[in-house]
Amino acid sequence: QVQLVESGGGLVQAGNSLRLSCAASGLTFTSYAAGWFRQAPGKERGFVAAISGRTGSTYYSNSVKGRFTISRDIRMNTVALQMNVLQPEDTAVYYCAAKWRVTSTTLEVGWNYWGQGTQVTVSS
């Protein structure tokens, strides 16, 4: 049984930082790819960042590149999303996801395991 649990969300002022964490059971992030997605009210779910299992290659959406960093802690079997210089448009529920492998052409499809989400609210 695969379970992904996000934590670390909260309310912050614009310009500040948050670090989200995704803890996995039933899979290891050295074998499976991990991704972060977000969904704002009234908007579709969108890709944020991903990291591959075998090589640790990272991928980012243009809207967060340079501000967000995805990483993994192999010892803890967790994946983190460090979010810096947060802006109000980053406000959303952030979801952790996993799938067998990820490439630059499959960033937004095929994610078959999902966490419950954690709320990030950025005030101006």
Side-chain angles (χ1 to χ4, degrees):
Q1 177 178 327
V2 173
Q3 188 172 30
L4 305 174
V5 180
E6 305 95 332
S7 61
L11 172 63
V12 299
Q13 294 187 42
N16 287 357
S17 299
L18 278 176
R19 186 176 180 89
L20 307 182
S21 182
C22 174
S25 60
L27 62 79
T28 170
F29 286 131
T30 58
S31 297
Y32 285 78
W36 287 96
F37 294 76
R38 63 188 182 185
Q39 187 166 25
K43 303 292 185 181
E44 69 279 3
R45 183 180 63 204
F47 170 78
V48 176
I51 185 167
S52 69
R54 185 176 67 86
T55 66
S57 299
T58 57
Y59 309 88
Y60 299 94
S61 69
N62 289 333
S63 62
V64 308
K65 191 172 297 182
R67 297 189 298 124
F68 291 11
T69 303
I70 188 171
S71 62
R72 62 184 175 181
D73 187 326
I74 294 174
R75 296 177 300 108
M76 296 292 104
N77 199 31
T78 59
V79 170
L81 185 69
Q82 178 66 42
M83 306 184 294
N84 298 329
V85 199
L86 283 162
Q87 302 298 315
E89 54 263 39
D90 297 315
T91 294
V93 176
Y94 283 71
Y95 296 92
C96 178
K99 62 177 177 178
W100 179 238
R101 52 190 170 187
V102 66
T103 69
S104 62
T105 59
T106 64
L107 297 177
E108 300 180 74
V109 297
W111 299 90
N112 52 329
Y113 303 113
W114 293 87
Q116 83 291 340
T118 186
Q119 176 71 47
V120 172
T121 303
V122 184
S123 65
S124 58

